[in-house]
Amino acid sequence: MSVLKSVNVGTAAPTEHSDVPLTGIDKRAVAGPVRLAEPAEGSGVAGDDVCDLRHHGGPDQAVYAFAWEDLEAWDDRIGADIRPGLFGENLTTVGVDVTGAVIGERWRVGTALLEVSVPRIPCRTFAAFLDERGWIKRFTEEARPGAYLRVVEPGEVAAGDTVEIVHRPAHGVDIGTVFRALTTAPELLPKLVDVEELPDETRQKARKRTGAGTAAI
């Protein structure tokens, strides 16, 4: 069964490793239902702080999901104790193939409807938070980045809620493919150009890097 192990939120705290002096990357599991809604900016998760609004948050990055199984895979390779929210995720899932989630795939979780939008690209704030040598390179090579989600229908979610896939686009381009295309495998970029469910910024980046042009989509 695919379920939420936890719902995690972060409170703004000082950092020296971001373009802004605060970060909400330190997510912690909370008890009880949490409201999800589409944000104009920032997080779509009630009570969750997103501080660097230029690079994080907004409708295409409203909620961040990461698989517990992928977290556990780091258990003997990093110094931190593995726990839900450690990688800055809002939703820690069990039994969900997050890397294999198709762009535009929709999940019914609690009373909310969510849509897979784009993978997370690691940043220096993430690396500094974990205090791991060469973390951005290591995380990138692992190619299990977690998925950002849009909030299609607002609602409440809680630990133990079932994650039900209610729609999966036929194009088949998944989170892992997009992540590798944007990082280590640029030969995959042509696969991104016509995926309408990707954020416009991502599609335009793929078009520019493949020579397909940068005209508005």
Side-chain angles (χ1 to χ4, degrees), residues 62-147:
V63 182
Y64 177 46
F66 203 88
W68 177 244
E69 295 86 348
D70 292 343
L71 265 170
E72 286 190 308
W74 289 99
D75 189 33
D76 60 352
R77 293 185 285 163
I78 62 175
D81 292 333
I82 297 300
R83 60 164 176 80
L86 179 65
F87 282 9
E89 78 274 12
N90 300 114
L91 306 181
T92 309
T93 65
V94 174
V96 179
D97 182 6
V98 177
T99 305
V102 173
I103 303 300
E105 182 175 297
R106 291 188 171 187
W107 302 353
R108 175 66 68 181
V109 188
T111 59
L113 182 64
L114 309 175
E115 182 177 278
V116 175
S117 62
V118 72
R120 181 252 200 95
I121 303 298
C123 63
R124 59 194 179 103
T125 303
F126 184 27
F129 174 65
L130 286 181
D131 193 24
E132 288 288 327
R133 186 179 181 89
W135 178 247
I136 291 177
K137 180 180 179 181
R138 292 167 62 192
F139 186 84
T140 300
E141 289 175 343
E142 190 74 12
R144 289 187 280 186

Coordinates of all heavy atoms in Angstrom, one line a residue, residues 62-147:
A62 N 4.8 23.7 -5.0 CA 4.0 23.9 -3.8 C 4.3 22.9 -2.7 O 4.2 23.3 -1.5 CB 2.5 23.8 -4.2
V63 N 4.6 21.7 -3.1 CA 4.8 20.6 -2.1 C 5.9 19.7 -2.6 O 6.0 19.5 -3.8 CB 3.5 19.7 -2.0 CG1 3.7 18.6 -0.9 CG2 2.3 20.6 -1.6
Y64 N 6.8 19.3 -1.7 CA 7.9 18.4 -2.1 C 7.8 17.1 -1.4 O 7.6 17.0 -0.2 CB 9.2 19.1 -1.7 CG 10.5 18.3 -1.9 CD1 10.7 17.7 -3.2 CD2 11.5 18.2 -1.0 CE1 11.8 17.0 -3.4 CE2 12.6 17.5 -1.2 CZ 12.8 16.8 -2.5 OH 13.9 16.1 -2.7
A65 N 7.8 16.0 -2.3 CA 7.7 14.6 -1.8 C 9.0 13.9 -2.0 O 9.6 14.0 -3.0 CB 6.5 14.0 -2.5
F66 N 9.3 13.0 -1.0 CA 10.4 12.2 -1.1 C 10.1 10.8 -0.5 O 9.4 10.7 0.5 CB 11.6 12.8 -0.3 CG 13.0 12.3 -0.8 CD1 13.6 13.0 -1.8 CD2 13.6 11.2 -0.2 CE1 14.9 12.5 -2.3 CE2 14.8 10.8 -0.7 CZ 15.5 11.4 -1.7
A67 N 10.6 9.8 -1.2 CA 10.3 8.4 -0.7 C 11.1 8.0 0.5 O 12.3 8.2 0.5 CB 10.5 7.4 -1.9
W68 N 10.5 7.4 1.5 CA 11.2 6.9 2.7 C 12.2 5.9 2.2 O 13.3 5.8 2.8 CB 10.2 6.3 3.6 CG 10.8 5.7 4.9 CD1 10.8 4.4 5.2 CD2 11.5 6.4 5.9 NE1 11.4 4.2 6.4 CE2 11.9 5.4 6.8 CE3 11.9 7.7 6.1 CZ2 12.6 5.8 8.0 CZ3 12.6 8.1 7.2 CH2 13.0 7.1 8.1
E69 N 11.9 5.1 1.3 CA 12.8 4.1 0.8 C 14.1 4.7 0.3 O 15.2 4.2 0.4 CB 12.2 3.2 -0.3 CG 11.0 2.4 0.2 CD 9.7 3.1 0.2 OE1 9.7 4.3 0.0 OE2 8.6 2.4 0.3
D70 N 13.9 5.9 -0.4 CA 15.1 6.5 -1.0 C 15.9 7.2 0.2 O 17.2 7.3 0.1 CB 14.7 7.6 -2.0 CG 14.2 6.9 -3.3 OD1 14.4 5.7 -3.5 OD2 13.5 7.6 -4.1
L71 N 15.2 7.7 1.2 CA 15.9 8.2 2.4 C 16.7 7.1 3.0 O 17.9 7.3 3.4 CB 14.9 8.8 3.3 CG 14.6 10.3 3.3 CD1 13.5 10.6 4.2 CD2 15.9 11.1 3.7
E72 N 16.1 6.0 3.2 CA 16.8 4.9 3.9 C 18.0 4.4 3.2 O 19.0 3.9 3.8 CB 15.8 3.7 4.1 CG 14.8 3.9 5.2 CD 14.0 2.7 5.5 OE1 13.5 2.0 4.6 OE2 14.0 2.3 6.7
A73 N 18.0 4.6 1.8 CA 19.2 4.2 1.1 C 20.4 4.9 1.4 O 21.6 4.5 1.1 CB 18.9 4.3 -0.4
W74 N 20.3 6.1 2.1 CA 21.4 6.9 2.5 C 21.9 6.6 3.9 O 22.8 7.2 4.4 CB 21.1 8.4 2.4 CG 21.0 8.9 1.0 CD1 19.9 9.1 0.3 CD2 22.1 9.3 0.1 NE1 20.2 9.6 -1.0 CE2 21.5 9.7 -1.1 CE3 23.5 9.3 0.3 CZ2 22.3 10.1 -2.2 CZ3 24.2 9.7 -0.8 CH2 23.7 10.1 -2.0
D75 N 21.2 5.6 4.6 CA 21.4 5.4 6.0 C 22.9 5.2 6.4 O 23.3 5.8 7.4 CB 20.6 4.2 6.4 CG 20.5 4.1 8.0 OD1 20.6 5.1 8.7 OD2 20.5 3.0 8.5
D76 N 23.6 4.4 5.7 CA 25.0 4.1 6.1 C 26.0 5.0 5.3 O 27.2 4.7 5.3 CB 25.3 2.6 5.9 CG 25.1 2.2 4.5 OD1 24.6 2.9 3.6 OD2 25.5 1.0 4.2
R77 N 25.5 6.0 4.6 CA 26.4 6.8 3.7 C 26.5 8.3 4.1 O 27.2 9.0 3.5 CB 26.0 6.7 2.3 CG 26.2 5.3 1.7 CD 25.9 5.2 0.2 NE 24.4 5.3 0.0 CZ 23.9 5.6 -1.2 NH1 24.7 5.9 -2.2 NH2 22.6 5.6 -1.4
I78 N 25.7 8.7 5.1 CA 25.8 10.1 5.6 C 25.8 10.1 7.1 O 25.4 9.1 7.8 CB 24.6 10.9 5.1 CG1 23.2 10.4 5.6 CG2 24.6 11.0 3.6 CD1 22.1 11.3 5.2
G79 N 26.3 11.2 7.7 CA 26.4 11.2 9.1 C 25.1 11.5 9.9 O 25.0 11.1 11.1
A80 N 24.2 12.1 9.2 CA 22.9 12.4 9.9 C 22.0 11.2 10.1 O 22.1 10.2 9.3 CB 22.1 13.4 9.1
D81 N 21.3 11.2 11.2 CA 20.3 10.1 11.4 C 19.2 10.3 10.5 O 18.6 11.4 10.3 CB 19.8 10.2 12.9 CG 20.9 9.8 13.9 OD1 21.8 9.1 13.5 OD2 20.8 10.3 15.0
I82 N 18.8 9.2 9.8 CA 17.7 9.2 8.8 C 16.4 9.4 9.6 O 16.0 8.7 10.5 CB 17.6 8.0 8.0 CG1 18.9 7.8 7.2 CG2 16.4 7.9 7.1 CD1 19.2 8.9 6.2
R83 N 15.6 10.4 9.1 CA 14.3 10.7 9.7 C 13.4 11.4 8.6 O 13.9 12.0 7.7 CB 14.4 11.7 10.9 CG 15.0 13.0 10.6 CD 14.9 14.0 11.7 NE 15.6 15.3 11.3 CZ 15.1 16.2 10.5 NH1 13.9 16.0 9.9 NH2 15.8 17.3 10.3
P84 N 12.1 11.3 8.8 CA 11.3 12.1 7.8 C 11.6 13.6 7.9 O 11.8 14.1 8.9 CB 9.8 11.8 8.4 CG 10.0 10.5 9.1 CD 11.3 10.5 9.7
G85 N 11.6 14.2 6.7 CA 11.9 15.6 6.6 C 13.3 16.0 6.5 O 13.7 17.1 6.2
L86 N 14.2 15.0 6.6 CA 15.7 15.3 6.6 C 16.1 15.9 5.3 O 17.0 16.8 5.3 CB 16.5 14.0 6.9 CG 18.0 14.2 6.9 CD1 18.4 15.0 8.0 CD2 18.7 12.8 6.9
F87 N 15.5 15.5 4.2 CA 15.9 16.1 2.9 C 15.1 17.3 2.5 O 15.1 17.7 1.4 CB 15.9 15.0 1.8 CG 17.0 14.1 1.8 CD1 18.0 14.1 2.9 CD2 17.2 13.2 0.8 CE1 19.0 13.2 2.9 CE2 18.3 12.3 0.8 CZ 19.2 12.3 1.8
G88 N 14.3 17.9 3.5 CA 13.5 19.1 3.3 C 12.2 18.8 2.6 O 11.6 19.7 2.1
E89 N 11.8 17.5 2.6 CA 10.5 17.1 2.0 C 9.3 17.4 2.9 O 9.4 17.3 4.1 CB 10.5 15.7 1.6 CG 10.3 14.6 2.7 CD 11.5 14.2 3.4 OE1 12.6 14.9 3.3 OE2 11.4 13.2 4.2
N90 N 8.2 17.8 2.3 CA 7.0 18.0 3.0 C 6.2 16.7 3.2 O 5.6 16.5 4.3 CB 6.0 19.0 2.3 CG 6.7 20.3 2.1 OD1 6.9 20.7 0.9 ND2 6.9 21.1 3.1
L91 N 6.3 15.8 2.2 CA 5.6 14.5 2.3 C 6.6 13.4 2.2 O 7.3 13.3 1.2 CB 4.6 14.4 1.2 CG 3.5 15.5 1.0 CD1 2.6 15.1 -0.1 CD2 2.7 15.7 2.3
T92 N 6.7 12.6 3.2 CA 7.5 11.4 3.2 C 6.6 10.2 2.9 O 5.7 10.0 3.7 CB 8.3 11.2 4.5 OG1 9.0 12.4 4.9 CG2 9.3 10.1 4.4
T93 N 6.9 9.6 1.7 CA 6.0 8.5 1.3 C 6.5 7.2 1.5 O 7.8 7.0 1.7 CB 5.7 8.7 -0.2 OG1 6.9 8.5 -0.9 CG2 5.1 10.1 -0.6
V94 N 5.7 6.2 1.6 CA 6.1 4.8 1.7 C 5.3 4.0 0.5 O 4.1 4.2 0.4 CB 5.7 4.1 3.0 CG1 6.0 2.6 3.0 CG2 6.5 4.8 4.1
G95 N 6.1 3.2 -0.2 CA 5.4 2.5 -1.3 C 5.1 3.2 -2.5 O 4.3 2.8 -3.4
V96 N 5.7 4.4 -2.7 CA 5.5 5.3 -3.9 C 6.8 5.3 -4.7 O 7.8 5.7 -4.1 CB 5.0 6.7 -3.5 CG1 4.8 7.5 -4.8 CG2 3.7 6.6 -2.7
D97 N 6.8 5.0 -6.0 CA 7.9 5.2 -6.8 C 8.0 6.6 -7.2 O 7.6 7.0 -8.3 CB 7.8 4.2 -8.0 CG 9.1 4.3 -8.9 OD1 10.1 5.0 -8.5 OD2 9.0 3.7 -10.0
V98 N 8.6 7.5 -6.4 CA 8.6 8.9 -6.7 C 9.5 9.2 -7.9 O 9.1 10.0 -8.7 CB 9.1 9.7 -5.4 CG1 9.2 11.2 -5.7 CG2 8.1 9.5 -4.3
T99 N 10.6 8.5 -8.0 CA 11.5 8.8 -9.1 C 10.8 8.3 -10.4 O 11.1 9.0 -11.5 CB 12.9 8.0 -9.0 OG1 13.4 8.4 -7.7 CG2 13.8 8.3 -10.1
G100 N 10.0 7.3 -10.4 CA 9.3 6.8 -11.6 C 8.0 7.5 -11.8 O 7.3 7.1 -12.7
A101 N 7.6 8.5 -11.0 CA 6.4 9.2 -11.2 C 6.4 10.0 -12.5 O 7.4 10.8 -12.7 CB 6.1 10.1 -10.0
V102 N 5.4 9.9 -13.3 CA 5.3 10.5 -14.6 C 4.9 12.0 -14.4 O 4.1 12.3 -13.6 CB 4.3 9.8 -15.5 CG1 4.1 10.6 -16.8 CG2 4.8 8.4 -15.8
I103 N 5.6 12.9 -15.1 CA 5.3 14.3 -15.1 C 3.8 14.5 -15.5 O 3.3 14.0 -16.5 CB 6.2 15.2 -16.0 CG1 7.7 14.9 -15.7 CG2 5.8 16.6 -15.9 CD1 8.1 15.3 -14.3
G104 N 3.0 15.2 -14.6 CA 1.6 15.3 -14.8 C 0.8 14.3 -14.1 O -0.5 14.4 -14.1
E105 N 1.4 13.2 -13.6 CA 0.7 12.2 -12.8 C 0.0 12.9 -11.6 O 0.5 13.8 -11.0 CB 1.7 11.2 -12.3 CG 1.2 10.0 -11.5 CD 2.3 9.0 -11.2 OE1 2.9 8.5 -12.2 OE2 2.7 8.9 -10.0
R106 N -1.2 12.4 -11.3 CA -2.0 13.0 -10.2 C -2.2 12.0 -9.1 O -2.5 10.8 -9.3 CB -3.3 13.5 -10.8 CG -3.2 14.7 -11.7 CD -4.5 15.4 -12.0 NE -4.2 16.7 -12.7 CZ -5.1 17.5 -13.1 NH1 -6.4 17.3 -12.8 NH2 -4.8 18.7 -13.7
W107 N -2.0 12.5 -7.9 CA -2.2 11.7 -6.7 C -3.3 12.3 -5.8 O -3.4 13.5 -5.6 CB -0.9 11.8 -5.8 CG 0.4 11.4 -6.4 CD1 0.6 10.8 -7.6 CD2 1.7 11.5 -5.8 NE1 1.9 10.5 -7.9 CE2 2.6 10.9 -6.8 CE3 2.1 12.0 -4.6 CZ2 4.0 10.9 -6.5 CZ3 3.5 11.9 -4.4 CH2 4.4 11.4 -5.3
R108 N -4.2 11.4 -5.4 CA -5.2 11.7 -4.4 C -4.6 11.3 -3.1 O -4.3 10.2 -2.8 CB -6.5 11.0 -4.7 CG -7.6 11.2 -3.6 CD -8.1 12.6 -3.6 NE -8.8 13.0 -4.8 CZ -9.3 14.2 -5.0 NH1 -9.2 15.1 -4.1 NH2 -10.0 14.4 -6.1
V109 N -4.4 12.3 -2.2 CA -3.9 12.1 -0.9 C -4.8 12.9 0.1 O -5.0 14.1 0.0 CB -2.4 12.7 -0.8 CG1 -1.8 12.3 0.6 CG2 -1.6 12.2 -1.9
G110 N -5.4 12.1 1.0 CA -6.3 12.8 1.9 C -7.4 13.4 1.1 O -8.0 12.7 0.2
T111 N -7.8 14.6 1.3 CA -8.8 15.3 0.5 C -8.2 16.2 -0.5 O -8.9 16.9 -1.2 CB -9.7 16.1 1.4 OG1 -9.0 17.1 2.2 CG2 -10.5 15.2 2.4
A112 N -6.9 16.1 -0.7 CA -6.2 17.0 -1.7 C -5.9 16.2 -3.0 O -5.7 14.9 -3.0 CB -4.9 17.5 -1.1
L113 N -5.8 16.9 -4.1 CA -5.4 16.3 -5.4 C -4.1 17.0 -5.8 O -4.1 18.2 -5.9 CB -6.5 16.5 -6.4 CG -6.1 15.9 -7.8 CD1 -6.0 14.3 -7.7 CD2 -7.2 16.2 -8.8
L114 N -3.1 16.2 -6.0 CA -1.7 16.8 -6.3 C -1.3 16.3 -7.6 O -1.7 15.2 -8.1 CB -0.7 16.3 -5.2 CG -1.1 16.6 -3.8 CD1 -0.1 16.0 -2.8 CD2 -1.3 18.1 -3.5
E115 N -0.4 17.1 -8.3 CA 0.1 16.8 -9.6 C 1.6 16.9 -9.6 O 2.2 17.9 -9.2 CB -0.5 17.7 -10.7 CG 0.0 17.4 -12.1 CD -0.7 18.3 -13.1 OE1 -1.9 18.0 -13.5 OE2 -0.1 19.3 -13.5
V116 N 2.3 15.8 -10.1 CA 3.7 15.8 -10.2 C 4.2 16.8 -11.3 O 3.7 16.8 -12.4 CB 4.2 14.4 -10.6 CG1 5.7 14.3 -10.8 CG2 3.8 13.4 -9.5
S117 N 5.1 17.7 -10.9 CA 5.5 18.8 -11.8 C 7.0 18.7 -12.3 O 7.2 18.9 -13.5 CB 5.2 20.1 -11.2 OG 6.0 20.3 -10.0
V118 N 7.9 18.5 -11.4 CA 9.3 18.7 -11.7 C 10.2 18.1 -10.6 O 9.8 18.1 -9.4 CB 9.6 20.2 -12.0 CG1 9.7 20.9 -10.7 CG2 10.9 20.4 -12.8
P119 N 11.4 17.6 -10.9 CA 12.3 17.1 -9.8 C 12.9 18.2 -9.1 O 13.0 19.4 -9.6 CB 13.3 16.3 -10.6 CG 13.4 16.9 -11.9 CD 11.9 17.3 -12.2
R120 N 13.4 17.9 -7.9 CA 14.2 18.9 -7.1 C 15.6 18.8 -7.6 O 16.2 17.8 -7.8 CB 14.1 18.5 -5.6 CG 14.9 19.4 -4.7 CD 16.1 18.8 -4.1 NE 16.5 19.5 -2.9 CZ 16.2 19.1 -1.7 NH1 15.5 18.0 -1.5 NH2 16.6 19.7 -0.6
I121 N 16.2 20.0 -7.8 CA 17.7 20.1 -8.1 C 18.4 20.6 -6.9 O 18.0 21.6 -6.3 CB 17.9 21.1 -9.3 CG1 17.0 20.8 -10.5 CG2 19.4 21.2 -9.6 CD1 17.4 19.4 -11.1
P122 N 19.4 19.8 -6.4 CA 20.1 20.2 -5.2 C 20.8 21.5 -5.2 O 21.3 21.9 -6.2 CB 21.1 19.0 -5.0 CG 21.3 18.6 -6.4 CD 20.0 18.7 -7.1
C123 N 20.8 22.2 -4.1 CA 21.4 23.5 -4.0 C 22.4 23.6 -2.8 O 22.4 22.6 -2.0 CB 20.3 24.6 -3.8 SG 19.4 24.5 -2.3
R124 N 23.1 24.7 -2.7 CA 24.1 24.7 -1.7 C 23.5 24.8 -0.3 O 24.2 24.4 0.7 CB 25.1 25.9 -1.9 CG 24.5 27.3 -2.0 CD 25.4 28.3 -2.6 NE 24.9 29.6 -2.7 CZ 25.1 30.6 -1.9 NH1 25.9 30.4 -0.8 NH2 24.6 31.8 -2.0
T125 N 22.3 25.4 -0.1 CA 21.6 25.4 1.2 C 21.4 24.0 1.7 O 21.6 23.6 2.8 CB 20.3 26.1 1.1 OG1 20.5 27.5 0.6 CG2 19.6 26.2 2.4
F126 N 20.9 23.1 0.8 CA 20.7 21.7 1.1 C 22.0 21.0 1.5 O 22.1 20.3 2.5 CB 20.2 21.0 -0.2 CG 19.8 19.5 0.0 CD1 19.4 19.0 1.2 CD2 19.8 18.7 -1.2 CE1 19.1 17.7 1.3 CE2 19.4 17.4 -1.1 CZ 19.1 16.9 0.1
A127 N 23.1 21.3 0.7 CA 24.4 20.7 1.1 C 24.9 21.2 2.4 O 25.4 20.4 3.2 CB 25.4 21.1 0.0
A128 N 24.7 22.5 2.7 CA 25.2 23.0 4.0 C 24.4 22.5 5.1 O 24.9 22.2 6.2 CB 25.1 24.6 3.9
F129 N 23.1 22.3 4.9 CA 22.2 21.8 6.0 C 22.7 20.4 6.4 O 22.7 20.1 7.6 CB 20.8 21.8 5.5 CG 19.8 21.1 6.5 CD1 19.6 21.7 7.8 CD2 19.2 20.0 6.2 CE1 18.7 21.1 8.7 CE2 18.3 19.3 7.0 CZ 18.1 19.9 8.3
L130 N 23.0 19.5 5.4 CA 23.4 18.2 5.8 C 24.9 18.1 6.2 O 25.3 17.1 6.8 CB 23.2 17.3 4.6 CG 21.7 16.9 4.3 CD1 21.7 15.9 3.1 CD2 21.1 16.2 5.5
D131 N 25.7 19.1 5.8 CA 27.1 19.2 6.2 C 27.8 17.9 5.7 O 28.5 17.3 6.4 CB 27.3 19.3 7.7 CG 28.7 19.7 8.1 OD1 29.4 20.3 7.2 OD2 29.1 19.4 9.2
E132 N 27.6 17.6 4.4 CA 28.2 16.4 3.8 C 29.1 16.8 2.7 O 28.7 17.6 1.8 CB 27.1 15.5 3.2 CG 26.3 14.7 4.2 CD 27.1 13.6 4.9 OE1 27.9 13.0 4.3 OE2 26.8 13.4 6.1
R133 N 30.3 16.3 2.7 CA 31.3 16.6 1.7 C 30.9 16.2 0.3 O 30.4 15.0 0.1 CB 32.6 16.0 2.1 CG 33.8 16.3 1.2 CD 35.1 15.6 1.6 NE 36.2 16.0 0.8 CZ 37.0 17.0 1.1 NH1 36.8 17.8 2.1 NH2 38.0 17.3 0.3
G134 N 30.9 17.1 -0.7 CA 30.6 16.8 -2.0 C 29.1 16.4 -2.2 O 28.8 15.6 -3.1
W135 N 28.2 16.9 -1.4 CA 26.9 16.5 -1.3 C 26.1 16.7 -2.6 O 25.4 15.8 -3.1 CB 26.1 17.1 -0.2 CG 24.6 16.7 -0.2 CD1 23.5 17.4 -0.4 CD2 24.2 15.3 0.1 NE1 22.4 16.6 -0.3 CE2 22.8 15.3 0.0 CE3 24.8 14.1 0.4 CZ2 22.0 14.2 0.1 CZ3 24.1 13.0 0.6 CH2 22.7 13.0 0.4
I136 N 26.3 17.8 -3.3 CA 25.5 18.1 -4.5 C 25.9 17.1 -5.6 O 25.0 16.5 -6.2 CB 25.8 19.5 -5.0 CG1 25.1 20.5 -4.0 CG2 25.2 19.7 -6.4 CD1 25.4 22.0 -4.4
K137 N 27.1 16.8 -5.7 CA 27.6 15.8 -6.7 C 27.0 14.4 -6.3 O 26.5 13.6 -7.2 CB 29.1 15.7 -6.8 CG 29.6 14.7 -7.8 CD 31.1 14.7 -7.8 CE 31.7 13.6 -8.8 NZ 33.1 13.6 -8.9
R138 N 27.1 14.0 -5.0 CA 26.7 12.7 -4.6 C 25.2 12.5 -4.8 O 24.7 11.5 -5.3 CB 27.0 12.5 -3.1 CG 28.5 12.4 -2.9 CD 28.8 12.4 -1.4 NE 28.2 11.4 -0.6 CZ 28.1 11.3 0.7 NH1 28.6 12.4 1.4 NH2 27.6 10.3 1.3
F139 N 24.4 13.5 -4.4 CA 22.9 13.5 -4.6 C 22.6 13.4 -6.0 O 21.7 12.7 -6.4 CB 22.3 14.7 -3.9 CG 20.8 14.7 -3.9 CD1 20.1 14.1 -2.9 CD2 20.1 15.4 -4.8 CE1 18.7 14.1 -2.8 CE2 18.7 15.4 -4.8 CZ 18.0 14.8 -3.8
T140 N 23.3 14.2 -6.9 CA 23.0 14.2 -8.3 C 23.3 12.8 -8.9 O 22.5 12.3 -9.7 CB 23.8 15.3 -9.0 OG1 23.4 16.6 -8.4 CG2 23.6 15.3 -10.5
E141 N 24.4 12.2 -8.6 CA 24.8 10.9 -9.1 C 23.8 9.8 -8.7 O 23.5 8.9 -9.4 CB 26.2 10.5 -8.7 CG 27.3 11.4 -9.4 CD 28.6 11.1 -8.8 OE1 28.7 10.5 -7.7 OE2 29.6 11.5 -9.5
E142 N 23.2 10.0 -7.5 CA 22.2 9.0 -7.0 C 20.9 9.0 -7.9 O 20.3 8.0 -8.1 CB 21.8 9.3 -5.6 CG 21.0 8.2 -4.9 CD 21.9 7.0 -4.6 OE1 23.1 7.0 -4.6 OE2 21.2 6.0 -4.2
A143 N 20.6 10.2 -8.4 CA 19.5 10.4 -9.3 C 18.1 9.9 -8.8 O 17.3 9.4 -9.5 CB 19.7 9.8 -10.7
R144 N 17.9 10.1 -7.5 CA 16.6 9.9 -6.9 C 16.2 11.2 -6.1 O 16.4 11.3 -4.9 CB 16.7 8.7 -5.9 CG 16.8 7.4 -6.6 CD 16.7 6.2 -5.7 NE 18.0 5.9 -5.0 CZ 18.2 4.9 -4.2 NH1 17.2 4.0 -4.0 NH2 19.3 4.7 -3.6
P145 N 15.8 12.2 -6.9 CA 15.7 13.6 -6.4 C 14.4 14.0 -5.6 O 14.4 15.0 -5.1 CB 15.8 14.4 -7.6 CG 15.1 13.6 -8.6 CD 15.4 12.1 -8.3
G146 N 13.4 13.1 -5.6 CA 12.1 13.5 -5.1 C 11.4 14.3 -6.1 O 11.9 14.7 -7.2
A147 N 10.1 14.6 -5.8 CA 9.3 15.3 -6.8 C 8.6 16.5 -6.2 O 8.0 16.4 -5.1 CB 8.2 14.4 -7.4

